[in-house]
Amino acid sequence: MKKAVSIFSILIILASCSKDKDPVYEETVLFSEEFTTVGNWIPTPEQANYTPGTNCYRIEDGMLKLTFDHSLNDCGCGWVGAKMNTTVSNHPNKKNIGVRIKLNQGLFQEVLLGIPSQSGSAYSNEIDSKFQLELGGFNLTIPSSDYGKVPQGNTVNPWLNRYPGKSFEVIHENNGNVTFTIDGEEFSKKYINCYFFDSESSNLEMEFRLGHQPEFAPRTDQLWVEKIEIYTWDGPRPE
């Protein structure tokens, strides 16, 4: 009887050790921005004789506030934006990268119109409300311009290639799988540009851009950003 109890105890211990070795999903934040200070962000277009006015570019109330309207002073010719450049000290050399963006106002959209050029094919930006990120070998653009291109001679649809929502997340897994969600609902990854190439760089660049051409005036666009988070993880992702 004692021998049976001893064997049973050993089995419990072995099972416990095996359980401890099972990989557990654990996130590591690489970068987080909640716009409590100006930080490394600078207004764009970045020109020696021009700075966007505060009615077009502000960091306040825990938000980056971009507003574009041709009737506003100091909004630039066709767009305003914000960009930053920094380094991420704990950037791992692996391809598990996630990006979360929380918007307070606005949406993501890019529409381009085909125009003649000497090379035979070129596009001009008609409507912009987009986000671009590069971290080492990880590159992301929301949205992809592929679904916003209008051939020369066609009328531009102002509702083309629009992605409204409050919470955006892009997940790039080590096996190359990409998941794109808006407010928790999954959308096709074809609506974004997301890829990874091997790089040991820890440089991080991000930019938001907002604007439209005069033919869409009168029109006021807003892109108010509450938070950006970039993270990596270990272990299997939860279903």
Side-chain angles (χ1 to χ4, degrees):
M1 182 69 177
K2 290 183 178 180
K3 185 176 181 180
V5 171
S6 177
I7 293 174
F8 182 69
S9 299
I10 292 172
L11 290 174
I12 291 177
I13 294 171
L14 290 175
S16 176
C17 292
S18 176
K19 184 177 181 180
D20 290 342
K21 293 181 180 179
D22 289 342
V24 178
Y25 177 79
E26 183 177 1
E27 287 188 6
T28 300
V29 176
L30 302 176
F31 175 87
S32 183
E33 176 66 89
E34 296 185 76
F35 300 102
T36 55
T37 64
V38 172
N40 293 319
W41 293 92
I42 62 172
T44 58
E46 190 179 9
Q47 298 175 0
N49 60 347
Y50 169 75
T51 300
T54 56
N55 52 357
C56 307
Y57 175 97
R58 302 192 304 277
I59 293 179
E60 64 179 14
D61 304 326
M63 286 180 278
L64 166 66
K65 297 181 179 180
L66 297 178
T67 302
F68 185 84
D69 190 322
H70 286 278
S71 66
L72 298 175
N73 293 327
D74 299 324
C75 260
C77 294
W79 60 276
V80 294
K83 72 176 184 178
M84 64 93 71
N85 192 325
T86 188
T87 57
V88 175
S89 59
N90 59 343
H91 171 48
N93 187 21
K94 60 182 179 181
K95 301 178 182 179
N96 286 342
I97 301 288
V99 179
R100 298 185 180 110
I101 303 172
K102 184 178 180 181
L103 298 184
N104 180 277
Q105 301 288 332
L107 49 80
F108 289 115
Q109 179 181 25
E110 185 171 37
V111 179
L112 303 96
L113 178 63
I115 58 175
S117 70
Q118 291 182 349
S119 62
S121 177
Y123 287 88
S124 66
N125 289 79
E126 296 293 298
I127 300 173
D128 262 336
S129 183
K130 67 182 179 182
F131 171 73
Q132 293 178 293
L133 178 152
E134 182 176 343
L135 173 58
F138 177 75
N139 290 261
L140 171 66
T141 302
I142 305 175
S144 168
S145 62
D146 292 341
Y147 293 87
K149 292 181 178 178
V150 180
Q152 179 187 354
N154 288 29
T155 301
V156 174
N157 178 0
W159 298 93
L160 183 66
N161 203 27
R162 288 167 56 98
Y163 304 95
K166 297 297 184 182
S167 177
F168 295 77
E169 185 169 18
V170 176
I171 299 166
H172 184 289
E173 299 182 65
N174 190 54
N175 58 13
N177 288 339
V178 176
T179 305
F180 173 44
T181 63
I182 303 176
D183 296 336
E185 180 181 353
E186 187 170 341
F187 286 76
S188 173
K189 65 181 181 180
K190 68 183 181 181
Y191 297 127
I192 61 174
N193 287 332
C194 182
Y195 61 91
F196 190 103
F197 61 88
D198 290 330
S199 172
E200 296 183 359
S201 171
S202 59
N203 189 59
L204 170 63
E205 296 181 34
M206 290 186 288
E207 181 174 11
F208 288 95
R209 180 165 165 160
L210 176 72
H212 57 262
Q213 292 299 318
E215 53 264 35
F216 297 103
R219 165 174 163 164
T220 300
D221 293 335
Q222 293 177 317
L223 187 60
W224 291 9
V225 188
E226 289 188 5
K227 185 175 181 179
I228 307 168
E229 185 176 76
I230 306 170
Y231 64 94
T232 186
W233 68 89
D234 292 296
R237 287 190 59 82
E239 296 294 332

